Amino acid sequence: MMADMQESGWAKINLALHVRARRSDGYHLIETLFAFVDHGDTIAAAPASSDSLSIDGEFAEGLGNGADNLVLRVLALLRERYGRDRVPPLALTLTKRLPVAAGIGGGSADAAAMARLVRRHFLPELGDATLARLVSPLGADIAACIASTTCLGVGVGEELSPVPELALTGTPVLLVNPRQPVSTGPVFAAWDGVDRGPLFTGADMRAQLFAARNDLQRAAIAQCPAITDLLTELGALRPWLARMSGSGATCFALFDAPAERDAAAVRLAESHPHWWQMAGTLR
C-alpha cells in the first residue's frame, strides 16, 4: 500500500452546543463551536480493480464494511460526480481508534478524511468549500470535518464561519469516554424544546465559551448516566473547561499546559482504568 495515500479523521469535539429550535422535519437548529484534536482514525488506500474496505483498530468490531459505510459512500459520490477516470477504484483500510456513537464525529471525520484523500490524489482543484458542499449531504458534521479547524456552525451545523478571535490552537485536551455508546437521534428527540439563548454575545470569546453549555447533556445523561461521573471526575482534575461533546458520551477537558493534561490522564487511568481516553492538542 502506498505510504502516502493516507489521511487522518481527526476527532471532533463540540466546545459548546446550543439547540435553538426543532424544525418541522425533525432536524434541529443549533449553534455550536467545533474544534478538532490532533489524533483520530486513519484511512489508507491503494489502487485496485474494485472498491473494498477493511476495518481494523480498537473499535473495529461491529462496523460494517459494505456500500452503506460512509467512507465508501463518499468515494462513490465523488466518482459519480467526476467519473471513474478521475476517481479510480481503491482498496481502503480504516483504522478505527475513536469510539463509535461517542459524540466526537467518528463517522463524519472518516467521511471527511476519505474526501480529502480523494482530493489530494485525484481532484486537487477542489477547495474546502466545494468539497464540503459535495459530501455534506451525507452528514451535517462532515462539512466542519473537511477543514478540521475551529469554527462556528449554525443551521443544522453545516453553515460554518471562522472564529479567529478564539485562539485555541495548541490547547492541551483530554478526551474521556465510558465505553458506552449513545444514540444521537434519541438524544436530540429528548431535547426539552427550551431555547436558552445564543452561543456568543460578547467580545471576550474565552469567557463566553466558559459560560456556554451543551443543551443535549441532560438528555444524554438520561441515556448514559456515566456521563455525570465523567464530568465530575474531569472537573476534579482542575481543567479550565470540562464539558460533554456532541450528543455524548465523550467528555473533554481543556488545560493550560501539557503537563497538567498528562498528570490528569495518569490520575484518571489509575482511578478508572476501563474508561477510554485520548490526550492531544487542539488543531
Side-chain angles (χ1 to χ4, degrees):
M1 187 166 290
M2 295 173 60
D4 64 336
M5 284 190 71
Q6 60 182 6
E7 197 73 39
S8 293
W10 311 112
K12 177 270 308 178
I13 59 175
N14 300 86
L15 295 172
L17 199 167
H18 292 196
V19 185
R20 305 299 307 279
R22 181 179 286 119
R23 300 194 318 197
S24 59
D25 61 3
Y27 284 92
H28 294 74
L29 298 178
I30 66 171
E31 296 176 6
T32 187
L33 187 66
F34 292 110
F36 293 84
V37 183
D38 61 353
H39 295 301
D41 297 337
T42 303
I43 295 177
S49 57
S50 62
D51 292 336
S52 65
L53 174 64
S54 61
I55 307 175
D56 59 25
E58 181 179 0
F59 295 99
E61 185 177 356
L63 292 181
N65 64 347
D68 60 342
N69 186 288
L70 271 177
V71 168
L72 288 175
R73 289 177 67 190
V74 166
L75 181 57
L77 185 154
L78 292 174
R79 181 177 299 125
E80 180 180 358
R81 174 67 175 80
Y82 291 98
R84 185 184 175 98
D85 289 343
R86 297 289 314 272
V87 184
L90 296 172
L92 306 170
T93 300
L94 169 62
T95 300
K96 198 69 185 154
R97 301 183 181 92
L98 302 177
V100 179
I104 49 177
S108 294
D110 297 340
M114 184 72 251
R116 291 196 307 271
L117 185 150
V118 170
R119 173 178 63 183
R120 181 153 60 92
H121 293 282
F122 308 112
L123 303 170
E125 72 275 13
L126 298 184
D128 278 356
T130 300
L131 193 61
R133 185 169 61 253
L134 288 169
V135 301
S136 60
L138 299 179
D141 285 354
I142 297 177
C145 292
I146 291 290
S148 286
T149 57
T150 302
C151 60
L152 182 67
V154 299
V156 296
E158 86 290 6
E159 300 174 26
L160 308 174
S161 57
V163 282
E165 60 269 53
L166 188 63
L168 291 175
T169 300
T171 299
V173 59
L174 180 65
L175 305 185
V176 186
N177 183 281
R179 295 184 184 272
Q180 298 179 33
V182 171
S183 299
T184 299
V187 170
F188 269 101
W191 173 61
D192 61 11
V194 178
D195 180 0
R196 294 176 173 84
L199 184 52
F200 291 131
T201 58
D204 187 340
M205 295 291 280
R206 179 159 170 163
Q208 290 296 318
L209 178 59
F210 183 76
R213 59 189 188 272
N214 185 329
D215 286 334
L216 298 179
Q217 182 173 307
R218 181 180 301 178
I221 288 173
Q223 186 180 143
C224 179
I227 294 170
T228 299
D229 298 329
L230 262 66
L231 290 171
T232 299
E233 293 287 340
L234 285 174
L237 298 173
R238 306 294 296 272
W240 68 263
L241 181 68
R243 185 165 287 150
M244 187 186 83
S245 177
S247 56
T250 303
C251 298
F252 64 89
L254 303 183
F255 296 87
D256 286 317
E260 296 175 358
R261 175 205 59 204
D262 295 344
V266 170
R267 287 179 57 189
L268 206 59
E270 291 173 347
S271 58
H272 298 279
H274 59 291
W275 286 355
W276 173 85
Q277 60 170 283
M278 174 180 282
T281 58
L282 296 185
R283 287 169 47 81

